[in-house]
Amino acid sequence: MQSKKVHEKLGREKLHRIIETCKSVEERSLDPFLLNVSENISTVKEYFPEWKIPEDLCLDAETLHHIASVVKLQSEWVKHRSTSLYTDPFLLEEKLRRMEKEEIARTFLEAWHPLIEWEQISLHSLSEAIRYWNSLVPLNERWKEKPPTEVGSGLATREELVRERILRDKAFSEELESFWHELRNVVAEKGKNGKIRYWDFIGAESYGETVDRAFMTSFLITYGYATLEIYPLEEEMFVVPYEKPVVKTSQKQLVSIPISVSAGDWQKWRRGELA
Amino acid sequence: MSKRKATYASKLKRATHMLFFKRHTKPGVKGWELRKALGSDYPKVLRIVDDYLKALDLEVKTVFEEGKQVEKPTLEQLDKARFYVALRGGLVPKEAKMIGWRIDDFAGLAMAIGYIISKKGKASREDVEELLRNKLPGWKVGLNVDRYIRYGYLTEDEGGQLYLDWRTRAEVDQKALIDLLLGAETQT
């Protein structure tokens, strides 16, 4: 057992070494033929039956990937050597070191065909520039420091806070009760079998109001004033009001149901495309 | 003037404007832009422009994607290629001075390009700078390499490796440069 573990450890170390060698060939542009591919493949093969856990299998795959990259570099190296551009880098480097810089520059000029490009303003862009210039506010006006605006403190009335939607008009429980009564009335008027389609209840004239109604409906359901009936196959959802608020016991696992009330859904409902 | 001639005369003008005036950050124009402006016979229009430019020692240069050399390009390859106007012949050192570069700058660029070509198109900036330090003052080497990068002759990746960039592919006859560098040595 001990020797198996040692064998596996040794295998991992060998694979890491292969990866490091491949990486240095890839990153430092070393001669890719420095790597003995067949020998490394044999090492990978030798240890492959030992690998059981995903980490080891990933290491094996990574090693193969790096060996494949070096093989690709070898292929490119052969291709480059066969092209007319191939020059022994040491030979060229040596020649560049020995040549005078004037000579190098002269040589370069023979192989250099600079591009010609013109940059010239046109009448159109000139008139655009003048128009922009004329409409530009002078710097001293643009950078003028504005005096800090004075903010006076004062008292806000309750009505103002309600108008700003910081406070609600009624206490939340009161509001929830009246919303429950509204649900029961709507179900009595428009509903069928004591229930109403979810969107027909929450849908309102504006999207904001619809979201507000969906928010209140979620509390009706959470606090036991109503329940949801969902028919996934028919993609239908109903709100069913209770006659009396039901106190939910913890015998049954309570579930949360996310319902999307997006602006797109609201528009669809308005067009009668959403149940 | 016949209608056909008039059409071509107008296409020639349009092609010349597009080729000469820099419209994007890089000079030149893509094949598909020429096709859109001149029609599918734009290669023919370019050939005529090239004929006119010959007398001025200029040429319409085609640079294919990734700097590949293509003998008989397809329309698709031409659409993806970039077309420039370049000097047809070479410059003499006296003329080169008009460009605003010193002889050192040309020598440094030639060394960097030659070295990168010999290293299969990729060399570490460290190695290139070390080579340039042989001929240029140390303080100038880094600045010059940055300048070559800024002008589009070289490009650098995050790992500090230098590659040849679009301007080298467009302006430098790489094979001729290597042959000349190797040939020049034998003469000394």
Side-chain angles (χ1 to χ4, degrees), chain A residues 179-204:
Chain A
F179 197 63
W180 175 47
H181 288 301
E182 187 191 330
L183 170 65
R184 287 170 59 185
N185 291 338
V186 172
V187 168
E189 279 174 31
K190 298 180 187 168
K192 264 185 191 173
N193 305 325
K195 58 191 178 187
I196 186 164
R197 283 179 196 277
Y198 178 77
W199 268 95
D200 287 346
F201 180 60
I202 67 152

Side-chain angles (χ1 to χ4, degrees), chain A residues 118-147:
Chain A
W118 286 344
E119 285 182 6
Q120 189 178 314
I121 198 155
S122 65
L123 205 58
H124 172 73
S125 46
L126 203 61
S127 68
E128 282 285 304
I130 290 169
R131 199 174 310 139
Y132 167 75
W133 186 253
N134 288 339
S135 65
L136 199 63
V137 181
L139 270 186
N140 56 5
E141 278 181 42
R142 269 188 283 162
W143 289 358
K144 206 183 279 174
E145 273 188 30
K146 284 184 184 168

Side-chain angles (χ1 to χ4, degrees), chain A:
Chain A
M1 188 66 184
Q2 186 65 27
S3 69
K4 192 173 181 284
K5 272 192 176 173
V6 172
H7 187 64
E8 279 177 9
K9 197 181 163 202
L10 188 72
R12 276 183 214 115
E13 279 173 10
K14 280 189 179 177
L15 295 194
H16 278 297
R17 263 206 299 276
I18 296 173
I19 291 173
E20 284 311 308
T21 317
C22 293
K23 271 187 182 171
S24 56
V25 169
E26 287 167 51
E27 285 161 16
R28 292 186 216 154
S29 311
L30 298 177
D31 180 357
F33 287 96
L34 286 176
L35 187 88
N36 188 334
V37 174
S38 58
E39 195 184 299
N40 286 309
I41 291 284
S42 307
T43 312
V44 175
K45 255 187 186 174
E46 182 193 336
Y47 288 98
F48 181 68
E50 310 290 332
W51 309 137
K52 300 284 180 269
I53 58 169
E55 284 80 2
D56 287 336
L57 291 166
C58 285
L59 184 68
D60 180 84
E62 197 188 338
T63 315
L64 276 177
H65 170 74
H66 282 285
I67 293 174
S69 303
V70 174
V71 172
K72 191 179 167 220
L73 287 175
Q74 288 182 347
S75 138
E76 280 168 11
W77 192 88
V78 172
K79 264 189 216 161
H80 178 72
R81 282 220 148 187
S82 62
T83 64
S84 54
L85 276 180
Y86 173 70
T87 315
D88 186 339
F90 299 106
L91 183 70
L92 188 69
E93 196 181 327
E94 194 48 38
K95 293 197 173 193
L96 285 171
R97 279 180 200 277
R98 287 173 57 186
M99 279 168 81
E100 290 297 320
K101 63 182 176 192
E102 289 76 15
E103 201 183 350
I104 300 174
R106 252 198 321 274
T107 309
F108 177 68
L109 291 179
E110 284 182 56
W112 185 51
H113 310 280
L115 299 181
I116 315 295
E117 55 187 280
W118 286 344
E119 285 182 6
Q120 189 178 314
I121 198 155
S122 65
L123 205 58
H124 172 73
S125 46
L126 203 61
S127 68
E128 282 285 304
I130 290 169
R131 199 174 310 139
Y132 167 75
W133 186 253
N134 288 339
S135 65
L136 199 63
V137 181
L139 270 186
N140 56 5
E141 278 181 42
R142 269 188 283 162
W143 289 358
K144 206 183 279 174
E145 273 188 30
K146 284 184 184 168
T149 47
E150 278 182 31
V151 181
S153 59
L155 291 173
T157 61
R158 190 176 186 280
E159 286 70 33
E160 279 168 341
L161 292 174
V162 169
R163 215 167 34 241
E164 293 293 322
R165 289 186 165 232
I166 295 168
L167 282 185
R168 280 180 178 270
D169 201 6
K170 301 174 199 170
F172 187 70
S173 56
E174 257 178 68
E175 207 172 332
L176 203 63
E177 287 268 338
S178 67
F179 197 63
W180 175 47
H181 288 301
E182 187 191 330
L183 170 65
R184 287 170 59 185
N185 291 338
V186 172
V187 168
E189 279 174 31
K190 298 180 187 168
K192 264 185 191 173
N193 305 325
K195 58 191 178 187
I196 186 164
R197 283 179 196 277
Y198 178 77
W199 268 95
D200 287 346
F201 180 60
I202 67 152
E205 281 303 302
S206 72
Y207 176 60
E209 207 183 325
T210 304
V211 173
D212 206 37
R213 290 177 69 83
F215 172 74
M216 292 302 290
T217 308
S218 75
F219 277 99
L220 282 185
I221 294 159
T222 309
Y223 292 160
Y225 289 91
T227 188
L228 268 186
E229 269 181 22
I230 301 170
Y231 300 95
L233 290 178
E234 290 84 1
E235 293 185 344
E236 285 182 332
M237 194 159 45
F238 295 89
V239 187
V240 188
Y242 291 128
E243 283 303 308
K244 281 181 189 172
V246 178
V247 180
K248 288 177 181 166
T249 54
S250 56
Q251 284 169 350
K252 205 176 166 186
Q253 178 74 43
L254 295 176
V255 287
S256 294
I257 301 161
I259 303 168
S260 159
V261 183
S262 67
D265 289 338
W266 174 70
Q267 278 164 349
K268 273 188 191 171
W269 171 76
R270 296 265 291 172
R271 291 196 298 265
E273 294 166 11
L274 199 74

